[in-house]
């Protein structure tokens, strides 16, 4: 953010760095377990996630922008910013969507890897079916396919 670099660590902190490699302020604290990733947001702030099962929104100056985002049951493995400004986060067997302000919108369980098709549609496997979710609706699309039989060949 702002020509600086951002790093995160197992020591529960994030840190902003100047382009010359010197720290820009004190480490950013807030997570209760190791930080596993972060992404810069459109407004210059950033989003971090952690093994403590929370996401945190930060302002570009490194101050917290909101209370922690809670809704995951397991450590968060990744997150990304959707084209419309919302956030998608992933844990072992569930993805969550959040408003840009950090309100949980939806939790979607899955059994197999997911694919984000166009920033609006997620395809997952659940209970032997391929399920297509429209992230703007409160339910799965009507389209799902049974793939219980193995490919032969």
């Amino acid at each position: 953010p702002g020509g600086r670099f951002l790093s995160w660590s197992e020591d529960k902190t994030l840190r902003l760095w100047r382009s010359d490699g010197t720290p820009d302020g004190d480490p950013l604290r807030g997570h209760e377990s190791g930080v596993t990733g972060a992404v810069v947001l459109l407004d210059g702030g950033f989003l971090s996630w952690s093994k403590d099962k929370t996401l945190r929104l930060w302002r570009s100056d490194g101050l917290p922008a909101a209370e922690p985002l809670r809704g995951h049951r397991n450590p968060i493995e990744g997150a990304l910013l959707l084209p419309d400004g919302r956030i998608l986060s992933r844990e072992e067997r569930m993805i969550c969507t959040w408003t840009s302000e950090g309100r949980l919108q939806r939790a979607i369980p899955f059994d197999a890897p997911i694919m984000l098709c166009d920033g609006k549609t997620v395809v997952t496997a659940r209970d032997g079916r391929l399920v297509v979710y429209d992230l703007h609706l409160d339910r799965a699309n009507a389209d799902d396919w049974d793939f219980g039989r193995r490919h032969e060949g």
Side-chain angles (χ1 to χ4, degrees):
R4 300 170 295 171
F5 299 95
L6 177 66
S7 66
W8 52 89
S9 173
E10 279 290 320
D11 72 0
K12 309 175 194 173
T13 67
L14 296 102
R15 185 153 218 159
L16 290 167
W17 301 86
R18 295 183 188 97
S19 59
D20 66 4
T22 59
D24 188 4
D26 294 329
L28 310 178
R29 302 183 190 286
H31 284 289
E32 297 173 6
S33 191
V35 180
T36 53
V39 63
V40 177
L41 302 174
L42 297 175
D43 65 2
F46 47 97
L47 170 74
S48 62
W49 54 92
S50 167
K51 293 178 182 177
D52 67 7
K53 307 174 194 168
T54 68
L55 297 105
R56 288 185 173 263
L57 290 165
W58 304 84
R59 298 184 338 196
S60 61
D61 61 8
L63 294 174
E67 291 296 313
L69 284 61
R70 300 184 191 280
H72 281 280
R73 294 183 218 142
N74 295 297
I76 300 169
E77 298 173 348
L80 57 87
L81 186 64
L82 296 171
D84 63 4
R86 291 180 305 146
I87 299 162
L88 183 134
S89 58
R90 179 184 186 276
E91 65 174 67
E92 184 178 349
R93 296 175 72 80
M94 184 171 65
I95 59 172
C96 293
T97 56
W98 310 81
T99 65
S100 57
E101 297 80 30
R103 184 180 53 81
L104 179 63
Q105 285 185 310
R106 186 168 190 197
I108 302 170
F110 65 91
D111 293 333
I114 62 168
M115 176 176 57
L116 181 65
C117 297
D118 56 7
K120 301 175 198 166
T121 308
V122 173
V123 179
T124 71
R126 182 82 178 147
D127 299 325
R129 298 173 322 163
L130 193 62
V131 183
V132 180
Y133 288 92
D134 181 330
L135 295 178
H136 294 286
L137 299 176
D138 290 334
R139 59 177 171 68
N141 289 358
D143 300 329
D144 61 15
W145 300 273
D146 185 351
F147 66 99
R149 290 190 228 177
R150 303 243 182 244
H151 287 256
E152 308 233 356

